[in-house]
Amino acid sequence: LLIWLFIKYVRGENMFDIHLGDTVITKKKHPCGNNTWECIRTGADIKLRCLTCGRIIMLDREDCIKRTKKIIKAEKTNV
């Protein structure tokens, strides 16, 4: 397993690839009862907005990786 992860790292394949507008589904629910969030900022920290109540949280990348179950990519528009 470690060799496989190292090979992916050397090739530059990022297992946690998140961009603006992507929807993140977390493992645990927010107190409002929802577990879907929209990514509104990326970098060393990731800022997420709850799609039900609008609450905004900021997590460091490592915490966000731990708490994420699935990432739904945003549709790209050609403007």
Side-chain angles (χ1 to χ4, degrees):
L1 178 64
L2 291 175
I3 295 170
W4 177 74
L5 289 173
F6 180 72
I7 290 170
K8 288 185 94 43
Y9 174 75
V10 170
R11 288 184 183 163
E13 299 173 16
N14 190 355
M15 296 186 322
F16 189 76
D17 192 25
I18 187 168
H19 300 287
L20 293 177
D22 289 351
T23 302
V24 177
I25 299 175
T26 56
K27 294 177 184 175
K28 292 186 179 180
K29 290 187 176 186
H30 187 244
C32 72
N34 192 19
N35 67 342
T36 55
W37 302 79
E38 177 189 8
C39 177
I40 56 175
R41 180 185 181 276
T42 59
D45 296 325
I46 296 175
K47 190 180 274 191
L48 302 171
R49 179 185 311 133
C50 179
L51 294 178
T52 300
C53 66
R55 174 82 173 173
I56 296 175
I57 61 168
M58 185 176 258
L59 302 170
D60 59 39
R61 188 168 283 271
E62 184 178 323
D63 262 355
C64 194
I65 290 169
K66 285 182 197 175
R67 295 180 185 195
T68 299
K69 183 192 304 185
K70 184 177 180 183
I71 298 173
I72 301 170
K73 298 293 182 187
E75 295 180 14
K76 296 184 180 181
T77 57
N78 294 332
V79 176

